[in-house]
Amino acid sequence: MVLRNASRALPVLVAAVVLAGTLLFTAMQNARWQESARGEAVQRASTEAVALQRQLDRALNAPIALAAYVQLNGGRIDGFAEFTDRMRALVPSITNLQLAPDGVVQHIHPLEGNEAAIGHQLLVDRERTTEAFAAVESGKLTLAGPFDLVQGGTAMVGRQPIYLPDAGNVPGVDPDFWGFATVLIDLEDFFSASRVSELALDGYEYELASFNRDTDAFEPFRTSGPMEDPVRVEVAVANGTWQLSLGRPGGWGGEGWTVAQSLAAVALAALAGVAVWKFQRRDERLVTAVDQRTSALRDAVSALEDARDDAERASAAKTAFLANVSHELRTPMNAIIGFAELIELEGLRSDDQESLRQIRTAGNHLLGLINRVLDVTAIEAGHLATRAAPVEIGDLAERVADLLSPLACESGVTVRVAGTGGTAFADEGQLFQIISNLAANAVRFTPSGGEVEISTSEDGDGCVVTVSDTGVGIDAAHLDTIFEAFERGGAPSSIEGTGIGLAIVERLVRAMNGTVSVESTVGVGSTFTVSLPAVPAVPAVPAQPASPAPAMEAT
């Protein structure tokens, strides 16, 4: 009797096990979907954090350069207005630049609308005392705010202390302290020029917060809307840290799967119960299979949780590394380039001018390398903004040839443009970068007296850009890996290059639904071919039939 009752209960038991296993699998799928969405958000937040840091660094270079200008002129401020106009033309989010000898604001440009700030004493204002004295004691640039200004409006304030021998008149501070060079960055202008407003197009909400050392917590200063369970990345700023939070109003989704998959699980369990009822003699094998499947699902859930933790730790470490390295390298490099530009204005001897030119060239090269590494990172993160439109590739090739003419002349290489041209469907700025990278490589790897040809044409499927040279060529053993990052194709160390340019080319071409290939012979030269899609045809609007003319009566 007991065995008979157990046999009758077996279909119900199997159905319950199948239902539990299927629901567990459903939960796993839902969790996997959510973790995938969070991972994409972490990558997007990291990309936006780097972009914000770049934009802020550009604005904060202005007081550094202004301080250097004052120091070079021994405390004189001749040409202050002209200097400020040049900085504001380069960085539109700069509201004004200020000079505060002995910590008292005396010079502002532009002055209109900022008259209330004249005479403001930075070293006695309670709201700014901590930050101002920190700048004087550290001798480094500080960033404060955002906060309401004395003259009205909301801005972030960057201050660079200036030191001149025995120039100070402020009791209790360094006797060499001359004053402050200050930049005001309008908050609305800063965010209007950034890409954070585009986050809403992808369904994201964001929040920016600055770290308050007094409260030991992040305090929000800009929020786009409510969000649940956001991801967070940090942005290194001059003397502190910002935090960028990214999320969606309803969380990371995946709940929509639950109802449909639960119904499917119930149906599957019912079928399993019927099958067991019909084939009870095979019950042991079926129960064993179900147990094994359930165990495997539990193991898979555990593995997914471990993988999620590892991915979040790796992503956080990568974000922190990029933020810190980009800030620590770009800020001093921009300052070096700015110093070099200022010194050029002093009218040096020709020998000194040549040395200065070499300093600027090396600085710009290193800054370009840093930006290219960050570009590769942004592309691999999958957040490359590609805006395809009709582009005339013949005109683009001519512009590239004009850009490379100084380098080609210096190398003794002839650059010419050939072909019939054509119209491609691509991002114009990114296509210009593609052709520039390929042509610049061709010039660098072609000896004096050689030729580089940029050819453009149309074929049945789209447009083709070909860059050919009579250079050193690439060994066949390196052709399969030539488009990988930091792969130089066996080039000698005497030829300048980092192996990043072709990696950027391949990723940009792929993002525009194109292809790139290479053919090369050592000692003869190389040919790189880029194929891009044509402009999509606009569907024709069918003509409306004409209304019949009214019949005419005979008269």
Side-chain angles (χ1 to χ4, degrees):
M1 180 65 69
V2 174
L3 292 176
R4 182 177 299 176
N5 290 336
S7 177
R8 291 175 179 176
L10 185 58
V12 177
L13 177 62
V14 171
V17 172
V18 173
L19 178 61
T22 307
L23 290 176
L24 180 61
F25 180 76
T26 300
M28 286 175 49
Q29 293 293 92
N30 193 36
R32 181 181 299 174
W33 194 94
Q34 292 185 9
E35 289 309 315
S36 176
R38 284 180 59 86
E40 291 178 1
V42 169
Q43 294 291 347
R44 182 65 179 274
S46 301
T47 301
E48 297 302 331
V50 172
L52 284 173
Q53 190 179 58
R54 283 186 181 180
Q55 184 179 351
L56 187 60
D57 285 347
R58 289 187 63 200
L60 293 179
N61 283 333
I64 295 175
L66 179 58
Y69 182 81
V70 173
Q71 289 172 327
L72 288 172
N73 286 278
R76 300 193 315 274
I77 59 170
D78 303 336
F80 169 60
E82 292 80 0
F83 179 91
T84 301
D85 289 338
R86 290 176 60 189
M87 290 293 103
R88 294 183 72 214
L90 293 173
V91 187
S93 60
I94 292 178
T95 300
N96 61 59
L97 289 178
Q98 303 178 7
L99 283 172
D102 297 326
V104 180
V105 178
Q106 298 183 18
H107 307 281
I108 303 177
H109 185 77
L111 180 60
E112 183 177 357
N114 300 292
E115 293 86 350
I118 295 294
H120 184 56
Q121 299 184 22
L122 302 177
L123 296 178
V124 299
D125 188 328
R126 292 183 179 179
E127 294 184 1
R128 294 167 171 79
T129 297
T130 301
E131 179 272 330
F133 271 100
V136 174
E137 293 169 359
S138 67
K140 296 180 180 179
L141 175 75
T142 60
L143 177 67
F147 45 64
D148 295 332
L149 302 173
V150 173
Q151 62 270 37
T154 303
M156 298 176 288
V157 179
R159 291 196 182 89
Q160 173 67 37
I162 305 173
Y163 297 90
L164 290 172
D166 298 323
N169 295 305
V170 181
V173 300
D174 192 325
D176 293 338
F177 172 67
W178 182 89
F180 292 109
T182 303
V183 61
L184 266 69
I185 307 169
D186 183 84
L187 195 64
E188 293 304 320
D189 289 344
F190 179 81
F191 284 105
S192 295
S194 71
R195 301 185 309 185
V196 293
S197 59
E198 299 177 5
L199 292 171
L201 301 177
D202 295 328
Y204 289 112
E205 301 290 351
Y206 73 91
E207 178 183 272
L208 270 171
S210 60
F211 187 75
N212 188 326
R213 291 185 175 87
D214 295 332
T215 62
D216 196 30
F218 283 98
E219 297 180 353
F221 64 87
R222 191 172 184 89
T223 303
S224 65
M227 51 187 163
E228 295 182 14
D229 189 25
V231 298
R232 295 181 173 86
V233 297
E234 292 187 355
V235 183
V237 297
N239 59 318
T241 304
W242 287 359
Q243 185 181 77
L244 174 61
S245 301
L246 204 64
R248 297 188 187 276
W252 299 111
E255 295 84 355
W257 289 18
T258 304
V259 175
Q261 291 186 335
S262 296
L263 291 175
V266 171
L268 182 61
L271 290 174
V274 171
V276 172
W277 178 70
K278 290 183 177 180
F279 303 102
Q280 285 187 345
R281 294 182 180 179
R282 304 177 185 178
D283 56 355
E284 292 183 2
R285 190 183 346 179
L286 181 59
V287 171
T288 301
V290 171
D291 289 342
Q292 290 175 346
R293 179 59 176 166
T294 303
S295 177
L297 289 174
R298 290 196 184 97
D299 292 342
V301 169
S302 177
L304 281 174
E305 291 176 347
D306 293 341
R308 177 197 62 194
D309 295 340
D310 292 342
E312 287 189 345
R313 284 193 295 270
S315 180
K318 176 182 176 183
T319 299
F321 174 79
L322 285 176
N324 291 328
V325 169
S326 61
H327 175 72
E328 294 299 329
L329 291 180
R330 279 203 314 276
T331 298
M333 188 52 56
N334 280 323
I336 290 172
I337 296 172
F339 276 117
E341 291 175 349
L342 289 171
I343 296 173
E344 270 191 321
L345 301 177
E346 299 298 319
L348 303 176
R349 297 176 308 175
S350 59
D351 291 343
D352 294 333
Q353 286 282 3
E354 175 60 20
S355 299
L356 190 60
R357 185 190 67 80
Q358 294 180 5
I359 292 174
R360 288 185 59 194
T361 299
N364 283 318
H365 174 73
L366 182 54
L367 187 60
L369 173 59
I370 295 169
N371 288 332
R372 285 196 296 275
V373 171
L374 292 174
D375 287 342
V376 170
T377 303
I379 293 172
E380 290 181 344
H383 299 297
L384 175 66
T386 300
R387 297 175 176 84
V391 179
E392 176 51 52
I393 58 176
D395 295 342
L396 217 58
E398 292 286 353
R399 287 168 51 193
V400 171
D402 292 340
L403 177 68
L404 293 179
S405 59
L407 175 63
C409 182
E410 181 181 351
S411 303
V413 175
T414 301
V415 178
R416 58 190 181 91
V417 177
T420 59
T423 303
F425 192 65
D427 186 301
E428 181 173 355
Q430 294 172 8
L431 181 54
F432 182 83
Q433 183 178 1
I434 290 168
I435 302 175
S436 299
N437 282 4
L438 293 176
N441 276 359
V443 171
R444 281 197 296 268
F445 287 86
T446 299
S448 178
E451 291 185 356
V452 173
E453 179 181 278
I454 307 173
S455 177
T456 58
S457 62
E458 286 184 326
D459 59 17
D461 298 325
C463 293
V464 177
V465 179
T466 302
V467 179
S468 305
D469 63 64
T470 59
V472 297
I474 305 170
D475 190 277
H478 296 286
L479 290 179
D480 290 339
T481 59
I482 194 65
F483 293 107
E484 295 180 2
F486 306 108
E487 171 61 48
R488 302 188 68 238
S493 58
S494 59
I495 298 179
E496 183 180 73
T498 59
I500 298 177
L502 289 181
I504 293 177
V505 166
E506 191 274 338
R507 287 155 176 78
L508 290 178
V509 171
R510 181 158 26 101
M512 291 186 285
N513 298 319
T515 60
V516 59
S517 59
V518 58
E519 296 179 357
S520 184
T521 302
V522 175
V524 177
S526 302
T527 298
F528 286 83
T529 302
V530 176
S531 299
L532 296 168
V535 178
V538 179
V541 178
Q544 297 294 328
S547 300
M552 298 181 64
E553 297 181 354
T555 58

